[in-house]
Amino acid sequence: MSRLPVLGEPVVLDDVGPPRRGRAYPAVGASTALLLPAALLLGALVLWPVLRTVHASVTSGGHWVGAAHFRAALAAPGTGAVVGRTVLWALLVPAVVTGLGYLLAVASRRSQEGKLVRLILVVPTALPLVVTGVTFRLMYDPDPSRGLATLVAARLTGRTGEDVPQMLGPGLVTVALMSAFVWAWVGLAVLVFRAALDRLPSSLADAVRAYGGTRRHVLWDAQWRPLLLRTVAVVFALVALGTSRTFDLILVMAPGSVRDEAAVLALRVWQTSGGTTTGEGAALGVIWLVAVAAGMLVAALFVRQAWPPPRDAEPDPVAAPPPRPFRLLAAGAAMAWLVPLAVLVATSLHGPVDAAARGWWSARPSLASYHEVLTSSELWRSLGFTLLLAAGVTATVLVVALLAAYPLAGLTGPAAQATGLLLMIAVVVPVQVIAGPVNEVLGVALSSGTARGLVLVHVALGVPFAVLVLRNAFADLPNDRLRAARLGGRHRWGMLRRLARHCRPAIVAVSVLEFVQVWNDLVVGLLFSGPDSAPLGLFLAGQTRGFVANSGALAAGSVIASMLPALLVVLARRHLVAGLVSGGVR
């Protein structure tokens, strides 16, 4: 950019355009300074812990032992079943969520009740997995006088409660856990598919019909090939990665007597190492990390193109609503999705004694459980600490990610793709795998077991996803906005501020997702918190130790804990879709 006098007035000659797009981004020196905070956090609390875990998996006492720890870990009783169960979670559950999400997205399009259906389906997505576990444990209680699902099964089959197959028993506990996970994640799939379907250009279908295409050809050539196939890959990858973080659900929902029958690698690594660095625990962690990273790389091959489709693609304005059977399917799904929520709320509206002794349908409503919870100083301390923690972490992640995303958006070609892949892998690093080395780093920084250490871990885990989303948002900006930012910004900070203003939806998505993630967290608090830093998820999980006796107060606390994240997700759901699926490699 240069300034020349023309007729006595200064004129700015801007050379920002497609061939020289990178000129809108900082030079090497400034880029290094902007990337430094993110690099320090990720290097100290993600990269080095991963390398330390790999080193611990092949050494013992500083001496090389090769694959000895891997052989010992895999030969341990039950490990084969744990690995097989993990693979089943990673394949079956994403397939069910993806298929059901697509059907419900189609069934709820362009109908009067469609908005209400999608609103009901998306609420469980915002709930902490701890609350989801509490909800379904209440539903699947083996006593038919308390468990709604057990009572209904007994009535339908004409059996007694003792003869009905127990959903929380050793044979069906994995099925019960999977049903809870599907309930929690289908709303996300519906949102993503709905956004994709609404952006399908009608001209594609018209072109296929003009060349004699049948309905099958229209479905494949005008829907699946240009857009929906890639959307399926996005949804499947997101849910598959989510299944690697079922630790909270298993820990809360599965009774202690059957926890081993429900264990996956997320739980086994924690049971083996317990937040320390051990050989066998590190070996299991490396296996898990390699599997997750490989899955992420495979998914990246399907989402290389930008999503959603170009802004000039317009949907068919006269498209008819779905057939009546599909609309009935959507309405039925919405009612089914309301049942667990109704069970949770109804249980919370009964006193502690009534909730522990009998079902909510056989006792008079009462606010005694809410009174017990709200008069607890421990709950208020946990709520206040979690609110400050989530707000502070979100603000820090947003600042660090904006600084890093700004220079990274100027990368093109192999450098941009490699950066995207590294960020995607960093997003999915399981915290249980690196817990021991992270605690070592925090110990050196005098932050282990403190609120400061908890903040650092949350920030380090949240930065990769935030950078990925914001980098893609910056890179997607049209050239005219880059030119306007370059002309109007007198320095790099001014340009960054102007560019960020155009990326407001992505910033909202990152902020809401990070806040909800920290608010809903259990595993990070369990591994890194101390006596003065007990987050809300840890408080609720502690109440599940005496589940039946505490069921009323636990349900009331779960309702209170779910209000804020549910409200944020419902209000920001349109922005969240773009944030969740903008991780494609560019």
Side-chain angles (χ1 to χ4, degrees), residues 401-477:
L402 279 171
L403 295 179
Y406 176 39
L408 291 179
L411 297 178
T412 58
Q417 295 181 9
T419 302
L421 286 174
L422 290 175
L423 288 171
M424 292 172 74
I425 293 173
V427 168
V428 300
V429 171
V431 66
Q432 296 97 317
V433 172
I434 59 174
V438 168
N439 272 318
E440 294 174 7
V441 174
L442 295 179
V444 173
L446 302 178
S447 300
S448 182
T450 66
R452 183 173 64 254
L454 194 61
V455 169
L456 288 173
V457 174
H458 272 300
V459 170
L461 295 176
V463 161
F465 177 77
V467 172
L468 190 62
V469 173
L470 294 174
R471 180 204 71 153
N472 292 342
F474 281 134
D476 280 344
L477 288 176

Side-chain angles (χ1 to χ4, degrees), residues 151-173:
L151 175 64
V152 171
R155 295 284 177 85
L156 291 177
T157 60
R159 301 179 182 181
T160 62
E162 291 76 14
D163 296 332
V164 174
Q166 302 298 320
M167 292 297 293
L168 296 180
L172 293 176
V173 64

Side-chain angles (χ1 to χ4, degrees), residues 95 109 156 194 461 515:
R109 290 184 73 201
L156 291 177
R194 170 60 197 277
L461 295 176
F515 186 95

